[in-house]
Amino acid sequence: MCCGAAISAGYFDSVTWLIRCCAIAFKRVEGLKLVLVGSLTDSLRLRLLGEIRAAGLPEDRVIPTGYVSRQELWTLYAGAVALLAPLDSSERSRARFPWKIAEYLAAGRPVITNGVGEIPRYFTDGENALVARPDDEEDFASKIELVAKNRP
């Protein structure tokens, strides 16, 4: 598995942006997959499948799990090459600090996010997280590639 990220209807645009980033990274690194965990209605799953196709990704490279148990979630975290927390430059992203990032850090896996809002106060790119430029698909994809090509 490549990376894990949370999915919900409220953050669908962030997930579709992330799918586009993964489409770039997956062309450069073989065998990666994106696992999306979280609320997933039938209509949201159909929209998601459309975005996966539009990005040119085979459906077997993106795994929308829906909700999973806490134990399974931690198992997924432990097996991830990286844990992803995409943040755009919207007011909503600038005004929040995703609690999910703290959980990702506790899992001991590399965290990839964007330098939005409070993120640059707490994280330095390449030191305690990989911090991509906001709204820059190529930069985020390059962070995924860097981690995937340098895994132990």
Side-chain angles (χ1 to χ4, degrees), residues 32-113:
L32 296 179
K33 293 185 179 188
L34 174 63
V35 177
L36 299 168
V37 177
S39 176
L40 195 59
T41 63
D42 289 340
S43 63
L44 187 58
R45 182 181 297 274
L46 288 175
R47 286 178 58 201
L48 186 60
L49 291 174
E51 295 296 333
I52 293 165
R53 280 188 222 100
L57 283 171
E59 290 180 18
D60 65 342
R61 303 280 304 271
V62 181
I63 303 164
T65 65
Y67 280 114
V68 298
S69 71
R70 200 82 180 130
Q71 183 175 353
E72 186 175 353
L73 182 63
W74 282 98
T75 299
L76 289 170
Y77 286 171
V81 170
L83 297 167
L84 311 176
L87 297 170
D88 58 29
S89 60
S90 68
E91 185 175 336
R92 177 172 70 173
S93 287
R94 287 191 310 271
R96 69 186 183 101
F97 187 92
W99 65 269
K100 185 61 72 185
I101 291 177
E103 191 171 83
Y104 286 176
L105 291 169
R109 307 304 308 139
V111 174
I112 303 174
T113 191

Side-chain angles (χ1 to χ4, degrees), residues 1 12-13 22-24 28 46 50 57 66-67 90 93-94 108 135 144 146:
M1 172 177 69
F12 191 79
D13 290 343
C22 286
I24 295 167
R28 300 176 187 161
L46 288 175
L57 283 171
Y67 280 114
S90 68
S93 287
R94 287 191 310 271
D135 304 319
I144 295 170
L146 176 69

